[in-house]
Amino acid sequence: MTEPASTPLPREDAARENSSPPHSKAPAPAVSIEAGLVAPCKLAVRDLSFFYGPKQALKQINLSIPQNTVTALIGPSGCGKTTLLRCLNRMHDLYPGNRYIGEIHMYPEGINIIGRDVDPMEMRLRVGMVFQKPNPFPKSIFENVAFGLRLAGLRSPTQIEERVEKSLRSAALWDEVKDRLKESAYALSGGQQQRLCIARALAPEPGVLLFDEPTSALDPASTARIEDLVYELKDRLTIVIVTHNMQQAARVSDQTCFFYHGELIEANATSEMFEHPRQELTTRYLTGQFG
């Protein structure tokens, strides 16, 4: 995987209380999420708590996310799913008063994503994110995808053009826009805009891609295309997706994690979670007794 070019970037600081030194590295464990499937760990969340000012939103989360798999985060609104997602690429650092306790290790480097010495902008290039509603920049289709490349320090026009095309192909959008690259991104349909946002996130070649309810504002046909794309991308990336759609979680994910009131109640292989949940609270949620 190509690393983004090193370039000075502005730092943003959310308070954190980590017990380990800034440069500590733990060995990468193997993760077994179901019989016969053992994968290297890509992300290891350890004793993570998160606070919006005085309000605690996550409580002592411990979770291993295997490499080249799709992990779905489910649970009722306000349970901490999106909060965890935004911890994984330091989005919370954009707002003052937020605070982390614990660690999130990314492998194979062993780097602590929320460590004091880690640049949050670099993390957002290495851990891409696609939001609930398409949010293209007020730029051309081409410049939307090139934005992260320029931010990462890439200057060669030829290399930028190659990476833009590669990213649009990876997002299954190239054939639809190859003759329209100078047009405004706003000229695209909603589903195309979301795939453009995926291409933009893919351009810096991240190791992890986060999706926050990426199809909630899309029609069924566009939803199916995004789900197919998620399935294809996991051969290259580790994917974490927040969804309220239980059928979607069952279709696209290898591992499912159920959150409730800021706590991780249960994490298991998706098939096992839906067929044989271990916790009564999980059973009640999956059967629609609350939501």
Side-chain angles (χ1 to χ4, degrees), residues 253-275:
S253 70
D254 302 287
Q255 174 176 244
T256 297
C257 309
F258 171 54
F259 285 79
Y260 187 69
H261 286 181
E263 297 183 19
L264 176 59
I265 304 302
E266 183 171 351
N268 207 342
T270 296
S271 57
E272 189 68 18
M273 171 81 83
F274 281 89
E275 294 172 13

Side-chain angles (χ1 to χ4, degrees), residues 82-236:
T82 295
T83 296
L84 175 60
L85 205 69
R86 289 170 177 252
C87 287
L88 298 179
N89 77 340
R90 300 283 293 273
M91 288 294 293
H92 294 300
D93 290 61
L94 294 169
Y95 307 99
N98 295 338
R99 181 163 58 100
Y100 310 87
I101 298 176
E103 300 178 342
I104 305 173
H105 287 278
M106 176 188 287
Y107 298 105
E109 303 90 338
I111 186 173
N112 178 14
I113 289 174
I114 57 175
R116 293 184 298 273
D117 64 334
V118 175
D119 190 331
M121 188 65 76
E122 179 185 351
M123 284 300 100
R124 290 175 209 137
L125 293 172
R126 297 178 65 178
V127 183
M129 189 163 183
V130 178
F131 296 90
Q132 183 174 5
K133 294 181 180 180
N135 62 336
F137 298 147
K139 300 174 180 289
S140 69
I141 295 169
F142 182 92
E143 287 301 327
N144 261 268
V145 183
F147 179 83
L149 300 174
R150 301 189 198 282
L151 190 64
L154 191 62
R155 296 290 178 262
S156 166
T158 300
Q159 291 182 346
I160 289 175
E161 288 177 8
E162 290 174 352
R163 292 274 288 274
V164 167
E165 178 177 346
K166 178 182 176 182
S167 301
L168 288 169
R169 287 187 183 278
S170 295
L173 190 58
W174 174 254
D175 289 340
E176 298 170 43
V177 302
K178 61 185 178 182
D179 298 321
R180 306 169 56 191
L181 295 177
K182 294 184 179 180
E183 291 185 19
S184 169
Y186 294 150
L188 300 175
S189 68
Q192 288 174 324
Q193 287 185 14
Q194 192 66 306
R195 280 183 283 144
L196 178 65
C197 293
I198 293 172
R200 186 176 67 199
L202 289 173
E205 297 186 343
V208 178
L209 191 56
L210 313 175
F211 289 90
D212 188 6
E213 296 188 65
T215 62
S216 63
L218 302 181
D219 60 85
S222 296
T223 294
R225 297 196 74 171
I226 298 294
E227 289 182 0
D228 289 343
L229 188 55
V230 167
Y231 187 81
E232 294 169 7
L233 287 172
K234 75 173 183 177
D235 288 339
R236 297 165 39 196

Side-chain angles (χ1 to χ4, degrees), residues 49-52 55-59 78-80 83 261-263:
S49 295
F50 182 80
F51 298 79
Y52 294 105
K55 180 181 178 182
Q56 186 170 6
L58 293 175
K59 304 171 185 177
C79 69
T83 296
H261 286 181
E263 297 183 19

